[in-house]
Amino acid sequence: MTLFAKRGKLPSQPIEEAQQSQDDGNSSANTRDKGLFQSAKRSRYWASEYLFQQNLIEIMVKVTVVVTPLIGLGYLAAYFMVDKVWSTFVLALGLFGLSPVSLIALYLAKRGGIKIAAQIYMFYMWLLGGLLTLFLSDSLILIGILVLTLNSLLALFIEDLNVAVRWIGAMILMYLLMIVLRLTGDFPSVVLGFVEPVFLFVAPVAIFITIVLLGNATIYYLRSTLLRSEELRSELEESYAEARLATAVAQEANRLKSEFLSMMSHELRTPLNAIIGFSEILDSGMAGSVDGEGKKMIGRVIANARHLLALINDILDLSKIEARQHEVIVEELSPSDLLKSTYDQMISLTQSKGLEFKLDISATLPPLLYSDRSVIKQIVMNLLSNAIKFTEDGWVKLVSTSDHGTWTITVQDSGIGIPPHALEYIFDPFRQVDGTSSRKHGGTGLGLAIVKEYVNELGGVINVESKLGEGSTFTLSFPLITAKDQAKEIA
Amino acid sequence: MMVDKCDVKTWQALAVDDDLDSLDVIRLTLSFHGADVITANGGEQALELLKTLQPTIVFLDLSMPGIDGWSLLHHIKNELELEETPVVALTAHAMKGDRERVLEAGFDYYMTKPFSPLTFMDDLLAMISANGHSGVFSPNQIQVP
């Protein structure tokens, strides 16, 4: 058993973790994934351990096939030295019989029927021992073999494998002892002549203890290997079941999260419909006229309601990405067409502020590449609307280039810039450069947080450089995947 | 008698919603453009009205207690012999995939709440023209004054 003690401590509670994440709304996707990951790791671990044990059994079979004929050869040698006629039959049985029987026994054990295997093995040994006792009639040892054999059989039938295995070990060693005695001729009678009384009482006990101990070392190892492989198989099955359960639990949690998001969206939009609806009806004079201060106030109600709607949309976007409900759809697209259409969509905003808006698409950019059209568009639009928002005069630039497997998109402006201390947190939700900034410049304060999440989703990186009063540069770098890379990946 | 489908003044619209505020907003919006609007506060009331009424167009909220927008649509399209009547889903279900779900169920148009009463009619008429609904949906169902 010590051979397997090297096995490290395993992560033991993927199920509990998965259940926890169901109970606890705050538990993030990370915990869930950790549970899944751990049970997958357990499955892999048990699988490799199982294969290792199977290989060990193979080795044991081979060793037995080689060793048992050698035992038979021992018998044969003994026969020539003591010249007993009837023993020919028995020795031949030992020589040719042991090997196939061990092979069958080990094969059965490997197939999971260790008990039947042991019984067949025992029965054969019993037969051999009985015949030896009858025809060779060689002193106490042969009687000992018979007794040991019967004891082993008895232990097997009362279903104590542990005890039976010790008896089997003892018996096999008795056989070996007999071979040694036969090879050394009249050794037993010499011993008996000198210390007969001691031998009669002490020697059998000493031999028995030695045999039992040695039997432990050899046979117990074989047995533990076989049992271990059984155990491993069941552990393997168990950990597969755990992994399946964890997956199911995670999927259910995901479904609930998605359901909650959609319900929240619905419940928030319904009252907003009344707020925006009634105020616009009032404001437009569709239902009678409102003048002066009242009209101004209605205008402010509408502006705030629209801001609230934008917030709800952004929060839902962000939660969807964080709950991994957002699906990235990678398809072949023309980067220049995509950026051009985004540019076209934003140009009216720059014109109304009197800004110069430049588009610079490098000739090195491949005509087609793989990415998510709507995600890229959303990212660039968010960055551009920020650039336009924070630039009072001057220019905004959208640049794209590629080299060394990287696709770079840069959004640059000559605006107010970002102070160095703020660069750390501008990607955090609801953090604009200062508290007043949000009110002054509008926006939900979630634009850059969404950009960051989307960039992560596409496996990209976003960097920002800025100098107060001179402008900011946001640089996006995505892995460049062209048709050639895509084909390679499929192949 | 053919009637211009985009002539809202000839419409007799049925609006169904369990939320009275929403119902008022759509009623005010439609009647501002000259439509005759009949409102039903919930699915049961709508079914009752539809026994005698043959509206030009129906605006349905989706999530309502009792008979909801989905089953009302089923009644309208399959059991009430109003299969030619355009049905607009006017819903606060505005997540990704909702539009597809609604159109697949058999609604003719999908519009989301909150909507702007100022642009609502333009958006709807643009969709109707693009969809190419023939006539004012179907002349024999129109009650021309």
Side-chain angles (χ1 to χ4, degrees):
Chain A
M1 273 321 237
T2 47
L3 196 90
F4 306 102
K6 66 176 193 279
R7 183 159 67 86
K9 204 166 182 292
L10 280 165
S12 57
Q13 56 289 70
I15 295 182
E16 287 91 316
E17 268 179 30
Q19 278 168 350
Q20 230 173 33
S21 79
Q22 194 184 25
D23 301 339
D24 180 4
N26 291 330
S27 199
S28 67
N30 289 344
T31 321
R32 183 184 74 224
D33 287 356
K34 216 161 101 195
L36 269 178
F37 173 71
Q38 285 179 345
S39 37
K41 213 165 98 183
R42 268 165 75 88
S43 293
R44 259 206 310 281
Y45 176 83
W46 289 126
S48 71
E49 195 71 336
Y50 180 68
L51 284 176
F52 172 69
Q53 296 301 330
Q54 287 295 317
N55 286 339
L56 257 188
I57 293 174
E58 293 289 337
I59 293 165
M60 296 299 289
V61 168
K62 282 170 190 159
V63 167
T64 314
V65 172
V66 174
V67 164
T68 43
L70 288 179
I71 296 175
L73 279 175
Y75 279 125
L76 209 59
Y79 164 72
F80 282 121
M81 289 194 68
V82 295
D83 190 25
K84 291 253 166 85
V85 179
W86 275 105
S87 60
T88 313
F89 172 67
V90 180
L91 294 174
L93 211 62
L95 179 58
F96 301 112
L98 258 178
S99 184
V101 168
S102 333
L103 201 59
I104 291 166
L106 276 164
Y107 174 73
L108 282 174
K110 196 178 150 193
R111 292 285 300 271
I114 185 160
K115 196 139 180 199
I116 297 165
Q119 277 168 357
I120 288 175
Y121 203 77
M122 279 315 308
F123 180 74
Y124 185 77
M125 286 302 207
W126 177 78
L127 195 71
L128 207 62
L131 289 171
L132 279 169
T133 314
L134 267 176
F135 299 116
L136 301 179
S137 58
D138 196 38
S139 80
L140 291 168
I141 292 167
L142 290 177
I143 296 164
I145 289 173
L146 191 62
V147 171
L148 287 172
T149 310
L150 287 171
N151 273 336
S152 320
L153 266 180
L154 200 65
L156 271 178
F157 281 112
I158 61 168
E159 308 216 335
D160 191 343
L161 207 57
N162 222 349
V163 173
V165 158
R166 283 155 210 241
W167 285 109
I168 295 169
M171 189 185 60
I172 288 173
L173 284 164
M174 272 292 208
Y175 275 109
L176 292 174
L177 187 63
M178 197 192 70
I179 293 164
V180 172
L181 290 178
R182 288 200 154 267
L183 285 170
T184 51
D186 54 356
F187 173 72
S189 56
V190 172
V191 176
L192 287 174
F194 276 106
V195 282
E196 195 174 23
V198 181
F199 184 83
L200 274 176
F201 291 101
V202 179
V205 177
I207 289 169
F208 179 71
I209 291 170
T210 316
I211 281 167
V212 168
L213 288 177
L214 287 174
N216 263 354
T218 53
I219 304 304
Y220 194 78
Y221 176 66
L222 170 63
R223 174 188 160 269
S224 68
T225 304
L226 293 169
L227 288 184
R228 187 84 196 125
S229 109
E230 283 304 290
E231 210 177 285
L232 286 176
R233 191 160 60 187
S234 72
E235 293 233 27
L236 181 61
E237 274 160 16
E238 217 171 272
S239 68
Y240 278 147
E242 275 174 22
R244 273 197 297 275
L245 181 69
T247 312
V249 167
Q251 278 169 349
E252 174 64 9
N254 233 17
R255 195 185 61 76
L256 289 173
K257 217 176 260 180
S258 152
E259 221 167 68
F260 175 75
L261 281 179
S262 114
M263 220 164 72
M264 195 173 83
S265 158
H266 181 264
E267 294 311 303
L268 292 174
R269 278 168 200 276
T270 304
L272 259 185
N273 185 47
I275 297 172
I276 293 178
F278 285 125
S279 7
E280 273 199 13
I281 287 168
L282 275 179
D283 186 50
S284 64
M286 281 159 78
S289 60
V290 184
D291 301 314
E293 279 301 303
K295 192 163 166 67
K296 271 189 211 158
M297 285 178 194
I298 290 166
R300 278 150 82 172
V301 171
I302 293 172
N304 277 285
R306 293 210 170 277
H307 179 73
L308 186 54
L309 181 60
L311 262 175
I312 292 168
N313 287 337
D314 279 359
I315 288 171
L316 285 171
D317 274 350
L318 202 59
S319 332
K320 259 192 292 184
I321 307 169
E322 280 174 354
R324 305 192 189 180
Q325 300 289 332
H326 180 259
E327 212 178 319
V328 174
I329 301 158
V330 173
E331 57 188 335
E332 198 173 36
L333 55 87
S334 154
S336 57
D337 284 357
L338 179 61
L339 294 174
K340 183 79 176 53
S341 80
T342 315
Y343 173 86
D344 289 342
Q345 250 171 290
M346 303 302 283
I347 198 155
S348 64
L349 278 178
T350 55
Q351 281 166 348
S352 67
K353 279 187 93 170
L355 302 173
E356 191 188 346
F357 190 15
K358 288 179 262 188
L359 175 68
D360 177 8
I361 293 170
S362 157
T364 61
L365 206 60
L368 290 172
L369 51 77
Y370 283 85
S371 194
D372 185 311
R373 193 185 298 275
S374 69
V375 170
I376 292 283
K377 190 159 195 165
Q378 174 99 53
I379 293 170
V380 174
M381 276 180 46
N382 278 13
L383 291 178
L384 281 176
S385 70
N386 270 358
I388 295 165
K389 195 191 300 170
F390 293 106
T391 306
E392 290 311 320
D393 50 19
W395 47 264
V396 173
K397 233 195 293 189
L398 174 60
V399 184
S400 184
T401 171
S402 76
D403 70 327
H404 304 302
T406 306
W407 175 27
T408 312
I409 303 171
T410 310
V411 174
Q412 210 173 350
D413 65 62
S414 64
I416 57 172
I418 304 159
H421 71 271
L423 286 174
E424 292 169 26
Y425 59 69
I426 52 165
F427 292 106
D428 295 350
F430 300 117
R431 291 289 289 270
Q432 287 184 349
V433 167
D434 54 64
T436 57
S437 198
S438 166
R439 297 283 168 264
K440 185 177 161 196
H441 298 283
T444 60
L446 288 168
L448 283 179
I450 291 172
V451 164
K452 179 115 202 245
E453 294 286 348
Y454 276 145
V455 170
N456 281 346
E457 267 198 325
L458 293 184
V461 181
I462 183 163
N463 282 308
V464 55
E465 280 169 48
S466 185
K467 222 169 192 182
L468 259 188
E470 287 179 25
S472 312
T473 306
F474 286 83
T475 309
L476 302 158
S477 314
F478 299 105
L480 178 67
I481 306 162
T482 58
K484 213 165 59 188
D485 303 318
Q486 193 80 353
K488 225 184 282 168
E489 208 156 280
I490 291 162
Chain B
M1 191 189 309
M2 287 294 287
V3 183
D4 180 3
K5 63 185 175 183
C6 290
D7 187 0
V8 181
K9 291 186 177 62
T10 63
W11 286 9
Q12 185 179 48
L14 172 66
V16 188
D17 203 313
D18 63 312
D19 179 43
L20 283 172
D21 290 335
S22 293
L23 208 52
D24 270 348
V25 174
I26 182 70
R27 183 179 56 77
L28 286 167
T29 306
L30 290 171
S31 50
F32 175 75
H33 288 92
D36 177 18
V37 188
I38 295 155
T39 56
N41 184 23
E44 287 77 3
Q45 205 182 330
L47 270 188
E48 197 57 39
L49 281 170
L50 281 168
K51 279 182 186 162
T52 52
L53 192 70
Q54 287 201 322
T56 327
I57 186 166
V58 180
F59 295 86
L60 288 186
D61 180 32
L62 293 181
S63 297
M64 293 186 285
I67 300 171
D68 62 10
W70 306 96
S71 33
L72 263 182
L73 175 79
H74 180 79
H75 279 289
I76 291 168
K77 293 284 181 185
N78 300 323
E79 284 163 29
L80 293 171
E81 292 178 354
L82 294 171
E83 64 273 5
E84 294 296 321
T85 309
V87 181
V88 182
L90 185 57
T91 174
H93 287 291
M95 300 278 278
K96 196 179 170 186
D98 285 334
R99 168 188 293 278
E100 289 72 19
R101 211 153 52 92
V102 162
L103 295 180
E104 238 166 62
F107 284 95
D108 298 282
Y109 303 102
Y110 168 76
M111 299 188 84
T112 57
K113 290 192 256 185
F115 62 85
S116 158
L118 287 177
T119 57
F120 181 81
M121 200 46 83
D122 290 344
D123 295 344
L124 178 61
L125 292 178
M127 279 199 295
I128 290 173
S129 325
N131 186 294
H133 248 110
S134 55
V136 157
F137 317 125
S138 179
N140 59 357
Q141 284 174 24
I142 304 296
Q143 298 163 0
V144 183

